[in-house]
Amino acid sequence: MKKQIRDRLFYRHPAPAVDDFCPYLMERRGWERYSLPIGNGFLGATVFGRLETERIQVTENSMFNPYCFPKDKRVHMCAGGLNNLAEILIDVNHALATDYERSLELESGEARVVYRYEGVRYRRTAFLSYPDRVLVMRFEADAPGMITLTVHPEIPFVRDYNEAVGDGCGKTGEVTEQDDRTLLLRGVMEYFDIHYEAQLRAIPQGGSVFSSHGRLYVERADALTLIFAAGTNYRLAPSVFMEKDPKKKLAGFPDPHDTVTSQLNAACEKSYEELYRRHTEDFGALYHRVRLRLGGEADAAVPTDELLHRYQEGRESRYLEALLYQYGRYLLISSSRPGGLPANLQGIWNCYASAPWSSGYWHNVNIQMNYWPSCIAGLPELFLPYADYAKAYMPQAKAFGDAYVAKYNPQNLSAPGENGWTIGTGAWPYQISNTLNLSHSGPGTGAFTSLLFWDYYDYTRDEAFLRDFGYAALRDMSVFFSKALCEINGKFLIKDSASPEQRGPDGNHYHTTGCAFDQQMVYENYKRTLQAAEILGIEEPILDVIRSQIDRLDPVLIGDSGQVKEYREEHFYGEIGDPKHRHISHLVGLYPGTLISETTPEWMAAARVTLQGRGDKSTGWAAAHRLCLWTRAKCPERAMGMVRSMLKNNILENLWDTHPPFQIDGNFGYTAGVSEMLLQSQAGYLDPLAALPAEWSDGQVSGICARGGFCADLTWKSGRLTGMHIVSRAGGELRVRTDEPVQVRVNGKRRTGLWEDGFVSLQTAPGDTVDIKAKD
C-alpha cells in the first residue's frame, strides 16, 4: 500500500465544560461526547485536553457495586454497577492559549494536546501501557523551566451513595502524601469489600516537586512525567461467582498495595522514552495488522467533530467511514487484553457512581457484539479475556444448569454438575444471572455465547483451545439443551422461551414455547458441538442425542407476511411484540449463525422481509446489528444505508456509539459489519467484497481474516476485485469465490487449473501464500 494517512481523531478546541464533573451528579454530556479514551485492558482513562485545569478520569473495571440492588423508587433504576476510580485534575492555568490541537492517535494508542502559550509551545501526551500496567502523562515545553502546575487527584463518590435506602453500597477513600513526589489514593468499596489503591508519582526534569494536603506541586521543570498505577484485591476465580456472601467473595485475596507499589516502582525505573517505546511497539503491533482505505483521504485534514457534523448534514466522507471502522479496533485493543477482565457494555470507561446498565456483561446480544470483530479484524487474542472469564464462572453456570433441570424437567436430572450449563442475560465480575426465573431472554443466551468459543477456533484453528475449553463449553451447553428441550408434536422445543426484551399485549415480557431465538441457538450450538467432536476425534453418548434432536428443532418458520416468524404462534409480521423493536433476535441464525444462508434461499428471502419490517433507524447497538444482518443477507446498499444511519444518528463527537447513552457494542458491531462487507467466510469459502456498495467502488484492505486460519489483503477498482493476497496460517483447504477467471500464484509460482465454476480451490500448508489476480 501507499504511504498511509495517520489514523487519528483530532479537534481544535478542548473538551467543553458541559455538565462538567460533580461528585454527586450523574454527569453525561461532557464526558461521553468529548473526552478521548485510552486504555490497556486493566485501566481505562478519558482525557479532556483542557487548558485551565486538565481532567483525566480513570476507571478500574473491578470496582463494582451490585446492579439494581436498591428497591426504593427514589433511586435510579440503574443504580449500582461500575464506579469511578479517580479524577486526576491538573491545574496548568493556560486559558488564553493559541494554536490549540488535541488528538487521539489510534495507531499508537495515545492522547495528545499541543498549543502555544505566551510564546512557548507546550505538548502533553497520555497513554496507558499494557507492558508496564501504568498510566503515563508527559508534559513538555520548547523552552526550559516552563512546566509549573499542580496535581490534585480526587476520589469521586466517597460516601454511601444510596444512604437513604441503606443498601450498603458505600465507598471510602482518601488521598494522602506518601513522600515528596508520590500521592496515595486508597479506600474500600464496601458491598463486596473491594480494597482499591492507586499511586501517582511526579518525575520532573529540572525544577522541583513537593507534596502537601493531597496535592503535588511542580515548579519550573523542563519536562514532567506523571506515572499512575492502580489495582484492587479482585481476582478472577470460580470462588468469586460461587460464594453467596458478598463480603467473602474476595476473602483471602491479597491487598493491592504491594502489587501497585511494584508496578509503579518498576515503571519509574524506566525513562519516559523507554516507557513510550514499549507501549507504542505493543499497541502498534496489534493495530497495524489491518489497514483499510476507502478513499477521501483529504478529509484527514478536517477536525473530527467538524467531519462528523458535515456527514450528518449530508456531506459524506469515505475517510470517516473507514476511520470509524479502525476506531472500533482501537477500542477493543484498549479495553480487552489478556490477563484483564473482558470489555463491558462501556468497554473499560465509566465516570459515574452508577454506570448505565451497570457497565455489565449482557448476554442477549451486547457481549457477543463486543467480540464479533475480534477475529475477523485481526485481533483474536483480545477475545481470550472473555474465555478466561467464562472459565471462572463455569462452575456457577453448571450449578444453574442443575437448578434449571431440577425445576423444569426433573425427570432428566443427572448428578450435580452433569446437567450442562446455562447463563442469563446479566453478568458482572462478581456474579452471573441465571435462566431459572425467566425474565426477558430465553435460555438461548447460553448458545449465543458458546458460538463465540467456536468462532475463535474457526478463525484461528487453535486446536489446543478447542480441546482444553471450547469443546467442553459447546458440549456442556448441548447437554443442558438436551435436558431442557421438551418433545411436543414431534418437535423438540424450549419451554419457557422468550425473544429478548420483547413484550406482549399486556406490557409484560412475552413468554412462549420454542421461539425462533432459542430454537436457532440450540441448532447452532448442536451443529458446532458435532463439528468440534469430529475435529477432535471424540465420540460419546451426548452426540447421539444431538443427532436425534437436531433435525427436529424447527428453528425457522415462515409466516403469512413472508417473514421469519419470531414466535411459532405468530401469523403476520409484528402481530406479537413491537414490530420496530431494537432486538432482531429471530435472525440470529443469519448472523452470527449460519443456519440462514444462500443455501436456504426461501429462508434468506424471509429474513430480508423481517429486516425490512424492523426498519433501519434504531438505537446505536441495534443499528450496528442491522448492519451485520443486511451485510450477511448480501444487500450491499442496505448495509451502506446502515453505515450512513449510524454516522448520522448514533455516533458522538468523540466517535463513541450512543444507545443513548454511550454503549461500546455499537462501535464493535460497526467494525464487524464493515469487515463482512469486505470479506465473508461463513459458508466454507472466502467471499471477497461480499457486500461491497457502489460508494466504496475503489479501495484496499490488508490483514482482514477469514475462517480456516486465513488472512487476506484485497484491492479493488470500480467494484471489481483486482488482487487478493492470502496467507494460510493453519494449512488446509482454501476455497475462494470469484466471479470470473483469475491468475493464481502459490508461494510465488504460477499455477493453472485451480479456478473452476466460480471458485479457486487448493490445499495449503501452514505459511503458504496465495495470490489471486484478475486477468487483464
Side-chain angles (χ1 to χ4, degrees):
M1 288 187 177
K2 297 179 181 179
K3 184 178 180 180
Q4 300 296 322
I5 302 294
R6 282 161 58 194
D7 292 343
R8 62 196 296 257
L9 283 61
F10 79 99
Y11 308 83
R12 298 298 190 198
H13 50 78
V18 180
D19 290 343
D20 204 359
F21 173 72
C22 173
Y24 306 113
L25 295 178
M26 292 282 288
E27 183 215 55
R28 294 189 179 217
R29 290 180 58 205
W31 177 80
E32 75 170 13
R33 298 187 75 95
Y34 303 114
S35 66
L36 298 179
I38 55 177
N40 66 0
F42 294 87
L43 297 175
T46 53
V47 182
F48 287 69
R50 290 182 178 154
L51 291 168
E52 188 73 23
T53 298
E54 172 64 294
R55 174 187 175 192
I56 300 177
Q57 179 273 324
V58 187
T59 308
E60 200 284 338
N61 255 5
S62 68
M63 291 182 60
F64 263 77
N65 275 319
Y67 175 59
C68 284
F69 182 87
K71 304 299 183 183
D72 192 289
K73 292 183 179 179
R74 293 170 292 173
V75 179
H76 189 270
M77 67 167 292
C78 292
L82 187 59
N83 203 270
N84 184 347
L85 168 62
E87 299 280 347
I88 302 175
L89 305 176
I90 305 166
D91 294 336
V92 291
N93 301 315
H94 290 169
L96 300 180
T98 60
D99 300 332
Y100 177 93
E101 179 182 286
R102 66 185 177 108
S103 64
L104 186 64
E105 305 292 328
L106 303 188
E107 301 180 47
S108 55
E110 58 184 295
R112 296 178 186 171
V113 178
V114 294
Y115 58 88
R116 189 171 296 279
Y117 179 75
E118 294 185 347
V120 177
R121 185 75 167 168
Y122 290 88
R123 178 188 177 102
R124 304 181 206 155
T125 305
F127 58 86
L128 266 160
S129 169
Y130 178 72
D132 291 297
R133 303 290 198 271
V134 292
L135 168 63
V136 179
M137 296 157 279
R138 178 73 168 180
F139 297 77
E140 299 171 295
D142 66 359
M146 300 307 297
I147 305 297
T148 295
L149 51 80
T150 301
V151 185
H152 50 108
E154 297 179 358
I155 302 174
F157 312 117
V158 176
R159 63 190 183 107
D160 190 343
Y161 183 65
N162 294 308
E163 186 175 3
V165 294
D167 63 5
C169 295
K171 179 183 180 182
T172 68
E174 185 178 10
V175 181
T176 58
E177 307 88 55
Q178 192 164 11
D179 56 44
D180 285 344
R181 58 178 187 155
T182 307
L183 298 180
L184 178 69
L185 294 76
R186 187 170 170 83
V188 176
M189 298 279 293
E190 293 176 344
Y191 190 87
F192 289 121
D193 198 29
I194 305 165
H195 293 245
Y196 67 89
E197 178 172 309
Q199 296 181 33
L200 174 63
R201 183 169 297 168
I203 304 174
Q205 291 175 225
S208 63
V209 60
F210 67 94
S211 63
S212 177
H213 296 90
R215 299 187 173 207
L216 292 170
Y217 297 88
V218 179
E219 296 183 352
R220 299 187 178 280
D222 299 332
L224 170 70
T225 303
L226 298 176
I227 301 180
F228 180 93
T232 74
N233 60 332
Y234 178 84
R235 296 293 184 274
L236 184 60
S239 60
V240 173
F241 298 92
M242 295 294 287
E243 175 59 57
K244 304 304 180 188
D245 186 340
K247 295 293 190 292
K248 295 181 180 179
K249 284 182 177 289
L250 304 184
F253 295 149
D255 186 273
H257 177 75
D258 289 347
T259 298
V260 171
T261 300
S262 176
Q263 289 173 346
L264 182 71
N265 289 340
C268 291
E269 289 174 0
K270 300 178 177 71
S271 67
Y272 169 75
E273 291 74 18
E274 184 177 4
L275 290 169
Y276 182 79
R277 177 188 60 79
R278 284 164 56 84
H279 164 70
T280 54
E281 287 179 356
D282 165 76
F283 200 97
L286 293 169
Y287 186 87
H288 288 137
R289 289 177 183 173
V290 174
R291 291 283 193 180
L292 173 63
R293 291 295 177 255
L294 300 173
E297 276 74 23
D299 286 343
V302 181
T304 305
D305 50 349
E306 181 180 339
L307 196 59
L308 178 66
H309 295 156
R310 286 184 185 180
Y311 199 106
Q312 293 168 345
E313 293 167 357
R315 291 181 286 173
E316 295 181 5
S317 168
R318 305 286 86 89
Y319 168 77
L320 182 59
E321 291 159 0
L323 182 66
L324 186 61
Y325 171 86
Q326 289 287 48
Y327 190 52
R329 297 182 67 252
Y330 168 88
L331 293 171
L332 191 59
I333 297 169
S334 301
S335 61
S336 184
R337 298 296 293 269
L341 284 164
N344 62 44
L345 194 64
Q346 280 74 33
I348 197 170
W349 298 281
N350 170 62
C351 76
Y352 309 114
S354 295
W357 295 282
S358 75
S359 286
Y361 307 119
W362 300 95
H363 286 74
N364 62 0
V365 74
N366 305 118
I367 195 67
Q368 291 82 3
M369 190 176 286
N370 278 12
Y371 288 102
W372 285 345
S374 60
C375 292
I376 193 171
L379 302 169
E381 64 267 57
L382 303 191
F383 169 67
L384 296 178
Y386 185 81
D388 290 339
Y389 175 73
K391 292 174 187 177
Y393 73 57
M394 196 56 69
Q396 180 61 73
K398 287 186 175 182
F400 286 156
D402 295 338
Y404 184 99
V405 176
K407 178 177 180 178
Y408 292 108
N409 291 307
Q411 72 279 6
N412 295 334
L413 187 65
S414 297
E418 297 180 6
N419 297 287
W421 63 279
T422 183
I423 188 170
T425 299
W428 304 268
Y430 295 85
Q431 61 197 83
I432 62 173
S433 60
N434 62 47
T435 54
L436 195 60
N437 298 308
L438 188 65
S439 176
H440 59 54
S441 299
T445 52
F448 208 4
T449 305
S450 66
L451 281 185
L452 293 170
F453 308 132
W454 169 260
D455 279 348
Y456 173 80
Y457 163 76
D458 207 13
Y459 275 95
T460 65
R461 295 303 166 100
D462 183 349
E463 196 166 308
F465 173 85
L466 190 66
R467 182 180 299 107
D468 295 342
F469 179 69
Y471 174 72
L474 290 160
R475 181 246 188 216
D476 289 345
M477 179 54 60
S478 291
V479 169
F480 171 76
F481 284 139
S482 73
K483 295 173 178 291
L485 289 165
C486 300
E487 188 171 4
I488 302 174
N489 297 326
K491 306 296 183 183
F492 285 98
L493 306 176
I494 291 289
K495 181 181 180 181
D496 235 355
S497 179
S499 195
E501 302 186 27
Q502 275 281 26
R503 296 179 182 271
D506 60 359
N508 294 318
H509 290 120
Y510 187 75
H511 295 179
T512 184
T513 298
C515 77
F517 170 72
D518 288 321
Q519 296 303 121
Q520 290 176 22
M521 286 294 90
V522 175
Y523 180 91
E524 297 284 356
N525 189 85
Y526 272 8
K527 179 180 177 181
R528 302 306 186 273
T529 302
L530 293 173
Q531 289 176 301
E534 182 178 0
I535 291 164
L536 298 175
I538 293 173
E539 188 57 57
E540 55 180 326
I542 183 59
L543 303 177
D544 288 332
V545 176
I546 293 172
R547 294 182 187 112
S548 70
Q549 294 181 347
I550 191 170
D551 291 330
R552 292 199 282 162
L553 294 172
D554 216 20
V556 180
L557 299 173
I558 298 178
D560 293 339
S561 301
Q563 83 281 18
V564 173
K565 293 169 65 171
E566 191 161 4
Y567 303 101
R568 305 183 69 79
E569 59 272 30
E570 169 189 325
H571 296 285
F572 294 96
Y573 177 79
E575 68 181 16
I576 301 174
D578 179 2
K580 301 294 184 182
H581 201 275
R582 56 195 176 276
H583 282 268
I584 317 180
S585 303
H586 42 316
L587 295 188
V588 289
L590 173 62
Y591 187 98
T594 60
L595 176 64
I596 302 172
S597 71
E598 290 175 287
T599 64
T600 58
E602 187 180 7
W603 290 356
M604 181 66 86
R608 294 183 181 121
V609 170
T610 297
L611 277 167
Q612 180 68 31
R614 236 10 169 226
D616 287 350
K617 190 172 182 180
S618 190
T619 190
W621 68 264
H625 192 194
R626 284 157 168 77
L627 166 61
C628 294
L629 289 163
W630 279 119
T631 299
R632 188 67 68 85
K634 301 289 184 69
C635 296
E637 294 312 315
R638 297 304 298 267
M640 187 64 201
M642 293 313 308
V643 168
R644 288 193 183 97
S645 180
M646 288 193 68
L647 278 160
K648 290 182 177 181
N649 301 300
N650 306 118
I651 300 299
L652 300 169
E653 283 82 353
N654 63 0
L655 300 192
W656 267 348
D657 172 85
T658 181
H659 177 75
F662 157 54
Q663 284 187 201
I664 205 166
D665 46 0
N667 288 105
F668 294 147
Y670 178 90
T671 298
V674 169
S675 294
E676 288 219 350
M677 293 171 76
L678 304 176
L679 180 65
Q680 295 184 24
S681 59
Q682 72 280 355
Y685 54 84
L686 277 63
D687 193 357
L689 310 183
L692 186 75
E695 291 83 351
W696 296 352
S697 59
D698 300 337
Q700 50 190 330
V701 65
S702 65
I704 196 167
C705 296
R707 293 166 177 84
F710 299 105
C711 183
D713 303 345
L714 286 73
T715 58
W716 62 95
K717 186 77 172 176
S718 300
R720 176 175 176 253
L721 183 70
T722 56
M724 188 172 185
H725 175 77
I726 303 167
V727 177
S728 175
R729 292 174 171 170
E733 182 183 18
L734 169 65
R735 298 187 75 223
V736 182
R737 182 175 180 173
T738 65
D739 294 330
E740 55 188 293
V742 291
Q743 298 175 358
V744 181
R745 291 183 179 271
V746 181
N747 298 325
K749 296 181 179 180
R750 180 80 176 268
R751 295 279 297 275
T752 60
L754 298 180
W755 182 89
E756 184 178 1
D757 296 331
F759 288 91
V760 172
S761 301
L762 69 153
Q763 287 292 326
T764 66
D768 280 354
T769 62
V770 179
D771 288 280
I772 299 173
K773 183 179 179 182
K775 288 188 175 182
D776 297 331

